[in-house]
Amino acid sequence: MVRAGLTVDRIVQAAAELADEVGLDNVTLSALARGFGVKDASLYSHVRNLADLRTRLCVQAAREMTDRIGAAVAGRAGKDALLAFADAFRGYALEHPGRYAAGQLQVDPAVAAESVGHRRSIELTYGMLRAYGLREPDLTDAGRLLRSTFHGYADLETRTGFSHPRRLDDSWRRSLEALHFLLENWPRTTQPEPRGTRDPRPGRAAAPAVGCGTADGGHRAEGGGCGAEGGGCGAEGGGCGAEHIEHIRDEEQTGE
């Protein structure tokens, strides 16, 4: 890497690539400075500290993951959308383990609120689940189940935590079939919500159908994104700052 043209974006991208190569915990400002051929102090003109860099990595990971998921689920609904969502989630986690780990970091609620990836993860997850006729509180419960399943499987797979000789792809596919069956037969605490009904929050439009998300986070559904437990990038979304996203959603619903 060359010193000329050092920018925040270049530093974050280099950190993302390094995280995938050596693991998120091994990404330091000193290691990045060596890669750019500069002194550590040169990086502080662009990022405040390691915590600031990790936050920026989280935001980037959320955006990348939701871009992938959004493209995968576009034009799909129901089982097709579930499979596409899950495969995109798992694929990102396996191809970019360092970035995926960054996407699971907790971030300040104010940062999450401004993050396109965080907001879009909410939109995509709830849009997908609404196609199964779910509404609150079942939406949140189902979102948590999906995130737990997707994240748990991907995390174990990246850590080589499965030792049985059965093919991982076969177990993954069967798991998704089981999730689809469960969502189709969800033990509802509420009546199924017809498509097109309004969002339960005052002044909100109905959550968009799967694949209707925009890159700028246009519509905002009501929780559960990429890496979010409300992430999600991932399964309840798949993005980063999971608990903070749910916290933000709760604040919006209660008006606090």
Side-chain angles (χ1 to χ4, degrees):
M1 298 180 186
V2 297
R3 179 174 181 174
L6 200 61
T7 64
V8 173
D9 288 345
R10 287 193 65 203
I11 293 171
V12 173
Q13 182 60 33
E17 294 170 3
L18 186 60
D20 287 341
E21 180 181 347
V22 302
L24 178 64
D25 290 342
N26 294 313
V27 175
T28 64
L29 291 175
S30 294
L32 288 171
R34 287 194 298 273
F36 280 108
V38 301
K39 295 184 180 297
D40 293 11
S42 299
L43 300 186
Y44 288 100
S45 298
H46 304 279
V47 294
R48 292 191 301 275
N49 48 39
L50 183 59
D52 180 35
L53 176 64
R54 287 164 71 92
T55 294
R56 293 176 185 273
L57 274 174
C58 176
V59 170
Q60 176 169 312
R63 185 181 67 250
E64 290 178 350
M65 191 173 210
T66 52
D67 282 349
R68 175 178 292 206
I69 293 173
V73 303
R76 302 174 185 270
K79 182 179 180 180
D80 286 345
L82 173 65
L83 298 183
F85 189 117
D87 286 343
F89 181 100
R90 179 184 177 217
Y92 185 85
L94 296 180
E95 292 171 29
H96 302 290
R99 300 181 210 199
Y100 177 75
Q104 305 310 306
L105 296 173
Q106 297 289 313
V107 297
D108 186 277
V111 173
E114 297 299 320
S115 166
V116 171
H118 285 70
R119 285 300 181 185
R120 198 177 182 204
S121 69
I122 293 171
E123 174 185 302
L124 290 169
T125 302
Y126 271 54
M128 177 186 67
L129 290 175
R130 282 184 181 278
Y132 283 96
L134 300 180
R135 58 186 301 178
E136 289 293 10
D138 297 326
L139 278 171
T140 294
D141 295 341
R144 286 174 172 167
L145 172 65
L146 293 188
R147 183 186 177 225
S148 300
T149 303
F150 295 170
H151 172 69
Y153 201 100
D155 185 62
L156 285 169
E157 189 169 3
T158 57
R159 298 171 187 270
T160 62
F162 295 115
S163 59
H164 193 279
R166 178 167 167 77
R167 293 180 66 251
L168 293 178
D169 286 349
D170 293 339
S171 294
W172 172 253
R173 193 58 51 193
R174 291 291 291 165
S175 297
L176 298 184
E177 292 284 349
L179 285 175
H180 169 65
F181 179 83
L182 177 58
L183 291 172
E184 287 270 279
N185 298 275
W186 191 265
R188 290 177 172 80
T189 56
T190 59
Q191 292 299 313
E193 181 177 6
R195 288 189 178 185
T197 53
R198 70 176 184 85
D199 190 293
R201 291 175 294 169
R204 300 289 185 183
V210 172
C212 292
T214 57
D216 62 359
H219 302 288
R220 288 162 61 183
E222 49 179 358
C226 247
E229 189 178 346
C233 233
E236 188 168 354
C240 45
E243 296 298 330
H244 289 305
I245 285 294
E246 185 169 11
H247 174 68
I248 292 168
R249 176 173 59 79
D250 291 341
E251 284 184 340
E252 290 179 338
Q253 289 178 326
T254 60
E256 295 178 356

